[in-house]
Amino acid sequence: MSRLNDTNIEVLRFLLIRIPGLEKSHIWISIPFSSMYLLSLLGNFTVLFFIKTEPSLHEPMYYFLSMLSISDLGLSLSSLPTTLGLFLFDIYEIHAAPCFAQEFFIHLFTVTEASVLPVMTFDRYVATHNPLRYSTILSTSRVIKAGVLPTSKNVLLILPLPFLLQRLTYCHQNLLSHSYCLHQDVMKLACSDNRVNVFYGLCAALSTILDLLFITFSYIMILKTVLGIATPREQFKALNICISHISAVLLFYVPMLSAATLHRFARDLSPMIHILMADVFLLVPPLMNPIVYCMKTCQIREKIAGKLCPKRS
């Protein structure tokens, strides 16, 4: 990391880590990464396009799904420049200002997705517990509030992170642990007191854990409602409407918690494992969510099939 002047943050540079031992194969590694980014962008834009253009999809469930797709697009676009720049063009240096901006957007869209999933859980609870009042409970005004309030909260929560990083002093180490910038990764390189960053980072992480607890409690209530249904066929039908959302929750939280656990308790593992787990966390949910929802949601699947094969439809 180079400094021409200790008071000038603009000349500060960090180094993005490459996959150890595979530096000469980066051009080949870029092929699956580029394909995953392309499919992720295409899938989420497709979901948003059909929700926007099809009046039959103008319902609360699909509005919440569009919020999830926007979060997934944000995650993909936030990490895409540095990841593909590293593997395609061997650009492994990043200035402090873009690095801090990148970590802001990655964390913002991460907590945004974490806050959208509980809202979608509540949507599924209403659909199973009180389907006759679904449109009354989830009115247009409440759907708007469910989108605006968590987004405002998330921006206020994540906004201090880049400023907290900027106040730190960076002396010698400058090698990051991933192919993109994260708050916890950058703050470890500081040679000044970073206890405020640690505490605030834990508070931000706690918000996603609280969202997971809300999701868990909601599904306990959903399961209780389903078990109260008379026939097994109706029970299966009620549970089936939750399959896509359960998949989205698992696709988001399993990679995130796995990467956090490895980072905290398995630091002796090969750096390649840590790097791949971090990439899985940012790549897999945006890639798989539109695929799962297009396969499991009949209305979206039929609309896509109708556009691709109009005669057959």
Side-chain angles (χ1 to χ4, degrees):
M1 181 171 53
S2 60
R3 271 182 183 269
L4 299 179
N5 184 339
D6 284 344
T7 62
N8 189 356
I9 194 72
E10 293 300 326
V11 299
L12 194 70
R13 292 182 178 89
F14 297 104
L15 301 180
L16 301 167
I17 194 168
R18 293 174 282 188
I19 299 179
L22 297 178
E23 289 83 359
K24 295 182 179 180
S25 303
H26 274 185
I27 189 64
W28 300 108
I29 297 174
S30 68
I31 296 175
F33 273 88
S34 301
S35 300
M36 293 176 72
Y37 275 116
L38 179 61
L39 291 174
S40 171
L41 296 176
L42 180 62
N44 285 290
F45 275 123
T46 299
V47 171
L48 290 174
F49 172 78
F50 280 101
I51 293 176
K52 171 68 175 178
T53 58
E54 295 293 338
S56 62
L57 300 181
H58 293 175
E59 298 179 5
M61 170 186 171
Y62 301 107
Y63 291 141
F64 297 141
L65 177 56
S66 67
M67 297 177 196
L68 185 68
S69 291
I70 291 172
S71 301
D72 286 335
L73 283 172
L75 277 177
S76 295
L77 294 173
S78 297
S79 61
L80 184 149
T82 54
T83 302
L84 293 189
L86 179 66
F87 291 128
L88 273 175
F89 307 107
D90 204 31
I91 301 174
Y92 55 88
E93 282 193 353
I94 182 170
H95 288 269
C99 182
F100 298 161
Q102 184 183 53
E103 65 87 22
F104 167 76
F105 285 109
I106 288 177
H107 288 294
L108 174 63
F109 287 112
T110 298
V111 297
T112 298
E113 183 151 341
S115 62
V116 170
L117 291 172
V119 175
M120 297 178 74
T121 309
F122 179 72
D123 170 80
R124 296 299 83 201
Y125 173 73
V126 174
T128 55
H129 182 72
N130 208 336
L132 297 179
R133 296 188 59 211
Y134 177 81
S135 58
T136 303
I137 296 174
L138 291 174
S139 61
T140 302
S141 61
R142 286 174 179 167
V143 171
I144 294 174
K145 290 178 182 178
V148 173
L149 293 179
T151 301
S152 303
K153 182 267 293 183
N154 293 331
V155 171
L156 293 176
L157 177 66
I158 301 300
L159 187 60
L161 290 183
F163 298 102
L164 291 175
L165 289 177
Q166 188 172 348
R167 58 180 281 275
L168 298 176
T169 302
Y170 304 91
C171 303
H172 304 292
Q173 293 185 343
N174 65 336
L175 181 62
L176 299 171
S177 302
H178 308 297
S179 58
Y180 49 84
C181 296
L182 291 176
H183 176 261
Q184 62 269 27
D185 199 14
V186 176
M187 74 177 183
K188 291 191 304 182
L189 302 179
C191 55
S192 57
D193 187 2
N194 64 358
R195 285 178 293 183
V196 174
N197 296 69
V198 173
F199 176 76
Y200 198 86
L202 289 174
C203 292
L206 180 62
S207 70
T208 63
I209 300 302
L210 292 176
D211 290 329
L212 179 58
L213 292 177
F214 178 85
I215 293 171
T216 304
F217 174 76
S218 298
Y219 268 106
I220 291 174
M221 300 302 295
I222 290 173
L223 184 60
K224 182 179 178 181
T225 300
V226 170
L227 292 177
I229 299 176
T231 64
R233 182 177 180 180
E234 291 297 321
Q235 290 177 348
F236 177 78
K237 183 178 179 181
L239 280 176
N240 192 50
I241 67 174
C242 302
I243 295 298
S244 299
H245 180 259
I246 293 173
S247 301
V249 172
L250 294 176
L251 287 169
F252 177 76
Y253 276 101
V254 170
M256 183 183 72
L257 295 178
S258 299
T261 302
L262 289 177
H263 181 76
R264 180 66 180 86
F265 300 106
R267 297 182 180 179
D268 294 334
L269 287 177
S270 168
M272 183 182 298
I273 297 177
H274 291 278
I275 295 168
L276 291 177
M277 280 303 304
D279 289 329
V280 164
F281 164 57
L282 285 192
L283 281 173
V284 171
L287 173 66
M288 294 304 299
N289 279 338
I291 295 176
V292 170
Y293 271 96
C294 289
M295 290 178 60
K296 292 297 296 179
T297 306
C298 180
Q299 291 89 335
I300 296 179
R301 186 173 67 248
E302 290 177 351
K303 297 300 180 184
I304 294 176
K307 291 291 185 179
L308 295 178
C309 307
K311 293 183 179 180
R312 182 179 178 183
S313 177

